[in-house]
Amino acid sequence: MTEPLIDRLDEVWRDIVAVCDGLSPAQWAAATECPGWSVHDNVAHMIGTERMLAGEQPSAPAGAGADAPHVRNDIGKANEQWIASYADWDGPKLLDEFRAVTARRLDTLRAMTTEQWDKEGFTPEGPGPYRQFMEIRVFDCWYHDQDIREAVGAPGFLGGPVADLSIGRIPPKALGYVVGKKAGAPPGTVAVFAVEGSPAIEAAISVPPEGRAVLLGAVPAECTTRITSDRRTFARLAGGRWSGDEARAKGEVRVEGDAALGNRIVDNLAFTI
């Protein structure tokens, strides 16, 4: 079968290898905007997740790293156990492991049938087909690719199919919750998000008199507030990597219309765990 998500995973994993190949020890140890993790930790985490999906277990003891201040749930504890399993590996050895593990995963995914891709099961978003889980894997790996790029001063990989998929997941998955719940926008609000880039993305959230805020099928001509940013800023805010103050200080986000509401939305845009 031809499954486009296999190509997306291959592309994001190749980009991670390209960015990390040749990093210095100091760069491997550099802190990233993913709370509590270095560049090394981000790569170890991705290796661990793919090994977990292959049915493998970490070598570190249960509970390793579980008391870290950024750990908030059982998924976080599992992540730290994998990171601890690779803590003593140097960067080049870790990257070789990343190459080997992702190559095995690609072979496994290419051998799967359509029925296996369609099969319902666990995903981090609740029950869904295996295809949905792999879409989340593209999203997660792209975010960690971005974390690494920011840490080593090499921003990029913000266009193309992987970035389009990852950024495109944010409006339907998060923006209604952000506007209606986190930012507490009042009934009657229409908040428009304009993400500049190629292609540009526009999304509108409407808050009804009753019930949850909803993503509109089309962007209306008039709105309560309009929030404009580039792809990098939108992703950093939605991923909890930048605060609203940081984005405003960089001059990378603009709010029109109801400024107080718009800035409150920006301040509450983070939705990932």
Side-chain angles (χ1 to χ4, degrees), residues 94-112:
L94 187 74
L95 190 59
D96 283 343
E97 175 82 340
F98 181 85
R99 290 187 181 100
V101 169
T102 55
R104 292 198 301 270
R105 282 288 293 148
L106 288 171
D107 287 343
T108 297
L109 293 170
R110 288 173 179 137
M112 289 174 61

Side-chain angles (χ1 to χ4, degrees), residues 37-114:
W37 286 2
S38 65
V39 170
H40 190 284
D41 295 337
N42 276 267
V43 176
H45 158 66
M46 289 184 282
I47 293 171
T49 302
E50 298 309 319
R51 286 189 58 195
M52 178 273 293
L53 290 170
E56 300 174 24
Q57 297 295 320
S59 59
D67 59 349
H70 57 274
V71 176
R72 301 178 181 177
N73 50 41
D74 288 343
I75 292 176
K77 292 177 182 178
N79 289 339
E80 294 303 318
Q81 191 177 1
W82 279 110
I83 288 171
S85 299
Y86 289 104
D88 294 334
W89 291 40
D90 66 24
K93 183 180 179 182
L94 187 74
L95 190 59
D96 283 343
E97 175 82 340
F98 181 85
R99 290 187 181 100
V101 169
T102 55
R104 292 198 301 270
R105 282 288 293 148
L106 288 171
D107 287 343
T108 297
L109 293 170
R110 288 173 179 137
M112 289 174 61
T113 65
T114 300

Side-chain angles (χ1 to χ4, degrees), residues 29-43 45 65-73 75-77 79-80 83 140 143-144 146-148 150-151 235-243 246 270-273:
T32 71
E33 293 167 341
C34 187
W37 286 2
S38 65
V39 170
H40 190 284
D41 295 337
N42 276 267
V43 176
H45 158 66
D67 59 349
H70 57 274
V71 176
R72 301 178 181 177
N73 50 41
I75 292 176
K77 292 177 182 178
N79 289 339
E80 294 303 318
I83 288 171
D140 184 68
Y143 252 101
H144 292 303
Q146 293 298 302
D147 293 332
I148 294 166
E150 292 288 334
R236 302 323 281 168
L237 285 166
R241 273 57 171 183
W242 291 357
S243 69
E246 287 174 306
F271 79 98
T272 59
I273 61 172

Side-chain angles (χ1 to χ4, degrees), residues 8-21 23 32-34 37-39 42-43 45-46 98 137-159 162-163 166 236 241:
R8 302 295 82 79
L9 285 165
D10 189 19
E11 289 160 10
V12 71
W13 289 339
R14 285 178 182 274
D15 193 73
I16 289 161
V17 168
V19 173
C20 292
D21 196 16
L23 292 182
T32 71
E33 293 167 341
C34 187
W37 286 2
S38 65
V39 170
N42 276 267
V43 176
H45 158 66
M46 289 184 282
F98 181 85
R137 293 302 308 132
V138 175
F139 174 85
D140 184 68
C141 290
W142 180 77
Y143 252 101
H144 292 303
D145 175 280
Q146 293 298 302
D147 293 332
I148 294 166
R149 283 178 165 278
E150 292 288 334
V152 301
F157 202 47
L158 290 159
V162 170
S166 300
R236 302 323 281 168
R241 273 57 171 183

